[in-house]
Amino acid sequence: MESGEMKLVTLHVNGRPFRRAIVPSTTLLEFLRDEIDLTGTKRGCDMGECGVCTVMLDGKPVLSCLLLAAEAEGAEVTTVEGIARGNELHPVQEALVAHGAIQCGFCTPAMVVNAVHLLERRPAPTREEVKECISGTICRCTGYTKIEKAILAAAGGDSGEGGKEA
Amino acid sequence: MRMPPFRFERPAELRQALDLLRELDGAGNGYVLSAGGTDLVPMMKSQPVSVGSLISLTKLKALGGIRLDPGKSLSLGALVTLGDLSSDAAVRETFPCIAETAGKIATPQIRNRATVGGNLLVDNRCIYFNQSEQNRLAHTPCFKAGGETCHLVPKTARGDDPLCRARFVSDLAPVLLLLHATIRIASTAGERSLPLRDFHLPDGISRNRLGRGEILTRIDVPLPGPSAGVLYEKLRIRNAIDFPSLGVAVSLGRIPGGGTRFGAALTGVHTRPVVMQVDEAARGSREESVDSLIAGISRAVTPFRQGFFPPDYLRKMIPVLIRRNMEKLLRKA
C-alpha cells in the first residue's frame, strides 16, 4: 500500500454503482481498469496526450487518465462497455467494423465514445465536425480517413465524398 | 503511472476552502489547488515529490457560471470549462474571440475539464523541464526542477530575475489582456481584484501573483470591448493538442476623442504574456502605428528553441501574424 489513507468512493459507471476503497491519487482510468475490471478503456500515454482513455462524464468526453476517480463521484461515467445494447452494436461500432476503420484497435474504444457523443449532439455532422471530434485521439494505424468515413456513414450513410459507402 | 500519495479534500463552499488553506499554511503543510486537473495531474505523475494535500475546487459554486451584465461586463467563473466557454451564447455574442480562442486550446476532451482559471494559471513550459523522468536524467536538474542551472541560459545564477525562462503558454491570456480583463482573488482576508496585466510575473517559476491561501475566483471583462474586436491566431504544428509555439492576439478600437488604437499581445514566446497598444493619433499614419507596435512588442519577447520552430522563425512570424489579423480587423472596422 503506497499510502495509509484510503477513501471510500461510489462511482456510477454504465448505469451501475461501484463502491470501492481507493487511494485518493487513483485516476478514473485506474479505477475502471484495475478496480472494476472494465478494461475496454485503454491506457496509452497516461499523460493526457493520446486520448485513448476517453470516457464520458455526464455525457461529455473526458480523459480518464487525467481525472481523479474521487472527482467522478456524483457523476455518470459511460465507457465503451456501456455503448452497445447487449449483443447489438451501436451504429458507430457497426460502421467502424464495416469500413475497416480498426487495425490494432487500441484507439477504437475512444473513437467510439467520441463519435457517439458527436452524433448525439449533431446527428448529421460535417466532415470538419467529425475531424474536430476525433482530433484529441491519436490513431497510429489508419490515417484517420476510414474512421472519418465510418462516423459519417453511421450518421446517415453519406461518406462525405458524394458516393455511397458499402 | 501512479501519482505520489496525497490527501484529497473537496470543500463544498469557498469559505470552507479558504479556511482549509489557511489551516494548512499555518501548520506548514503543503497543498495544491485543482480545478480541471488537466495541467496538474500530468505534472504530479512526472514529479516524484508529494504535494501534501490536493484541494479540489470543483464543488465551489462561487467560481462557476458565466454572467452577462449588459453594458457593463461579462463575468467568467474561474471554473467555467473551456468547452462551455467556447459554446456559450453570451460569450459568442459579446466577445466571439474568447469563445473562438477557447475552442483552439488542447483537445475536445481536455476542454471538457480544463477551466478558464486554469488556463490563466497554466504552468510555464520548457523543453528541458516538461519531459519524462528518463529524459530529465540526461540533464542536471534545472532551477524549475529544484536544481542549480538553466539549460536555456547557462550563465543564469540564483538571485537573477528571471531565474527560469520556461515559456508562458496560455492562449486566453493575450485575448483577455487586450479586453482589459480584471481578475478576482479570494482569501480569508477578503476579496481583491487586479488588472490581468498586473498578474503575471517575468519568471517561469514564480509565474504570477496568486499568493498562498488565495483562490482565483472570477475573470471580469468590461463591456464594450474594442470597437472592431479582437482576433487571435495560434501557430503550432498540429491543429489540436499543442500549446501555442506562438500566439498572437490583435485588437482595433477607437480612442475616445478620435483616432484608432492598435493593440497586440503575445503568448508562447516569453516567460509571461506581453501586451502593447499604440494610438494612431500619436504616431501619424496607420502604417507607422502598426510598425511601431510590431517593433515594440518584438523587443519585449525572447523566444528560445523549444521544439520544431527555431526562434528566428518565431520572430519573423510575429509581424506576419500581427499584420494579417490587423488587416482582417481593419476590413471589418
Side-chain angles (χ1 to χ4, degrees):
Chain A
M1 190 54 54
E2 57 182 353
S3 164
E5 195 181 338
M6 303 285 281
K7 184 176 166 55
L8 202 55
V9 297
T10 304
L11 265 57
H12 287 82
V13 183
N14 301 331
R16 283 181 53 200
F18 294 88
R19 192 170 163 81
R20 295 288 187 279
I22 57 169
V23 292
S25 62
T26 306
T27 61
L28 177 60
L29 177 64
E30 289 161 347
F31 185 92
L32 294 171
R33 292 182 58 87
D34 305 339
E35 298 290 337
I36 63 173
D37 298 325
L38 289 181
T39 53
T41 305
K42 300 305 178 200
R43 174 184 290 136
C45 72
D46 210 19
M47 293 291 272
E49 296 258 352
C50 75
V52 303
C53 66
T54 302
V55 300
M56 278 193 247
L57 187 75
D58 283 337
K60 288 182 179 176
V62 300
L63 300 181
S64 60
C65 77
L66 297 188
L67 184 67
L68 296 179
E71 291 276 12
E73 266 199 302
E76 177 60 38
V77 178
T78 308
T79 70
V80 68
E81 289 93 342
I83 301 293
R85 297 246 168 94
N87 286 330
E88 192 191 324
L89 293 183
H90 187 281
V92 164
Q93 293 170 308
E94 294 277 12
L96 286 167
V97 174
H99 285 74
I102 301 165
Q103 286 185 32
C104 85
F106 204 72
C107 72
T108 307
M111 293 296 181
V112 168
V113 169
N114 284 314
V116 167
H117 171 255
L118 172 69
L119 299 190
E120 280 170 2
R121 252 180 337 127
R122 305 273 303 161
T126 64
R127 180 170 285 260
E128 276 313 305
E129 286 169 332
V130 170
K131 285 183 173 182
E132 166 70 15
C133 149
I134 63 171
S135 66
T137 306
I138 291 175
C139 169
R140 304 182 109 175
C141 306
T142 67
Y144 302 99
T145 311
K146 290 178 174 179
I147 299 173
E148 289 167 19
K149 282 186 181 174
I151 297 171
L152 286 164
D158 185 353
S159 70
E161 293 177 358
K164 287 282 176 202
E165 287 294 305
Chain B
M1 217 176 300
R2 282 274 174 178
M3 283 174 267
F6 52 76
R7 289 173 57 92
F8 178 80
E9 306 274 1
R10 190 154 66 143
E13 299 293 338
L14 178 59
R15 186 75 227 178
Q16 228 178 315
L18 294 169
D19 286 343
L20 180 59
L21 300 191
R22 190 161 73 164
E23 195 181 303
L24 289 167
D25 273 330
N29 291 328
Y31 61 84
V32 288
L33 303 179
S34 175
T38 52
D39 191 32
L40 180 68
V41 169
M43 188 275 283
M44 291 197 301
K45 285 183 179 184
S46 64
Q47 303 293 327
V49 284
S50 174
V51 296
S53 295
L54 184 142
I55 318 295
S56 166
L57 306 177
T58 51
K59 274 191 178 168
L60 306 183
K61 289 202 172 60
L63 277 64
I66 295 169
R67 298 181 204 145
L68 177 62
D69 191 350
K72 280 190 74 184
S73 69
L74 179 74
S75 173
L76 309 171
L79 282 184
V80 169
T81 66
L82 300 176
D84 287 344
L85 193 60
S86 69
S87 61
D88 184 81
V91 178
R92 289 207 156 271
E93 173 68 29
T94 50
F95 296 112
C97 184
I98 295 180
E100 284 157 19
T101 302
K104 291 175 182 167
I105 297 169
T107 67
Q109 298 100 308
I110 288 176
R111 292 196 291 274
N112 283 334
R113 289 296 299 177
T115 64
V116 53
N119 190 254
L120 293 178
L121 296 167
V122 67
D123 197 9
N124 288 34
R125 254 57 190 183
C126 177
I127 201 165
Y128 292 99
F129 179 77
N130 300 94
Q131 288 290 356
S132 65
E133 190 186 0
Q134 208 174 3
N135 184 299
R136 275 186 280 129
L137 285 174
H139 310 285
T140 49
C142 68
F143 289 115
K144 195 167 169 68
E148 290 300 323
T149 188
C150 173
H151 298 294
L152 290 178
V153 184
K155 66 173 196 277
T156 310
R158 210 160 266 286
D160 288 354
D161 188 24
L163 186 62
C164 169
R165 260 82 170 185
R167 64 196 185 97
F168 182 81
V169 293
S170 161
D171 288 294
L172 281 170
V175 171
L176 292 171
L177 280 166
L178 287 177
L179 294 173
H180 306 287
T182 57
I183 56 175
R184 281 189 253 169
I185 292 173
S187 72
T188 50
E191 189 182 72
R192 68 186 174 115
S193 101
L194 77 162
L196 182 61
R197 67 163 62 204
D198 295 335
F199 182 57
H200 292 102
L201 296 171
D203 177 69
I205 299 169
S206 51
R207 306 193 290 115
N208 58 58
R209 296 188 192 278
L210 189 72
R212 297 298 290 178
E214 291 189 322
I215 294 175
L216 170 61
T217 57
R218 304 198 73 82
I219 298 102
D220 299 311
V221 192
L223 282 162
S227 51
V230 174
L231 285 176
Y232 178 72
E233 187 165 350
K234 179 172 181 174
L235 181 68
R236 51 178 165 174
I237 296 288
R238 300 175 288 188
N239 264 332
I241 306 175
D242 292 342
F243 285 113
S245 291
L246 163 67
V248 173
V250 298
S251 66
L252 183 65
R254 275 186 290 279
I255 312 165
T260 308
R261 177 166 291 169
F262 301 89
L266 306 181
T267 188
V269 284
H270 201 65
T271 52
R272 56 168 291 169
V274 173
V275 61
M276 197 162 288
Q277 290 186 319
V278 167
D279 291 349
E280 189 177 8
R283 287 285 161 187
S285 77
R286 175 169 291 174
E287 287 71 26
E288 281 173 290
S289 304
V290 175
D291 286 349
S292 119
L293 180 67
I294 288 168
I297 207 161
S298 297
R299 271 197 302 275
V301 299
T302 315
F304 288 95
R305 177 103 204 189
Q306 283 283 297
F308 184 79
F309 299 112
D312 280 358
Y313 177 80
L314 294 173
R315 281 206 173 279
K316 284 178 182 157
M317 286 308 284
I318 293 171
V320 172
L321 298 191
I322 290 180
R323 284 187 211 285
R324 179 191 293 166
N325 289 286
M326 198 63 89
E327 275 162 29
K328 283 185 197 166
L329 287 182
L330 283 165
R331 277 199 294 277
K332 257 181 23 180

